[in-house]
């Protein structure tokens, strides 16, 4: 289905995706914080287990767990935030902009 401007019927349309971008940013930050928090708890367990490998094993295991936890949390949060923002863009905001006449409109109004 081709999106058309409801005013001039042009098919030269772009999307703003404002909520998707903001949702992805917030999700990334929140997910990274949650991931690092969870990783720190895991690092404590890793430190106890790493005692057998000595001090270097404890340090490396703890740092690796925190980094990987942060990255995994950030990626998950980014995806979730972007999906939520996409729904807001489509159902709440005027996400489409006509490149011909400049009208902003929502997906509910395109023909």
């Amino acid at each position: 289905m081709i999106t058309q401007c409801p005013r001039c019927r042009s098919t030269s349309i772009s999307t703003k995706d404002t909520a998707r971008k903001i949702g992805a940013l917030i999700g990334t930050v929140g997910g990274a914080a949650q991931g690092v928090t969870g990783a720190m708890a895991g690092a404590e367990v890793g430190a106890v287990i790493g005692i057998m490998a000595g001090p270097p094993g404890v340090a490396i295991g703890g740092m690796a767990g925190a980094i990987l936890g942060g990255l995994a949390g950030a990626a998950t949060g980014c995806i979730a935030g972007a999906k939520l923002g996409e729904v807001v863009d489509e159902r709440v905001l005027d996400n489409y902009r006509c490149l011909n006449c400049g009208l902003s409109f929502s997906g509910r109004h395109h023909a």
Side-chain angles (χ1 to χ4, degrees):
M1 184 167 154
I2 297 173
T3 303
Q4 288 184 319
C5 174
R7 180 188 294 161
C8 70
R9 299 291 179 216
S10 172
T11 57
S12 296
I13 306 296
S14 69
T15 57
K16 300 177 196 175
D17 298 329
T18 304
R20 187 179 67 112
K21 293 171 188 172
I22 292 170
L25 175 65
I26 292 170
T28 299
V29 172
Q34 182 65 34
V36 169
T37 301
M40 296 310 270
E44 291 178 21
V45 173
V48 171
I49 294 171
I51 289 175
M52 292 182 274
V58 173
I60 292 171
M63 289 175 61
I67 291 170
L68 291 175
L71 289 174
T76 303
C78 179
I79 292 168
K83 282 296 185 188
L84 178 60
E86 190 175 316
V87 171
V88 171
D89 280 332
E90 287 296 319
R91 298 190 181 189
V92 178
L93 301 178
D94 289 340
N95 191 43
Y96 296 96
R97 179 189 318 260
C98 177
L99 299 176
N100 190 38
C101 71
L103 178 72
S104 291
F105 59 98
S106 71
R108 296 181 307 275
H109 296 111
H110 71 272

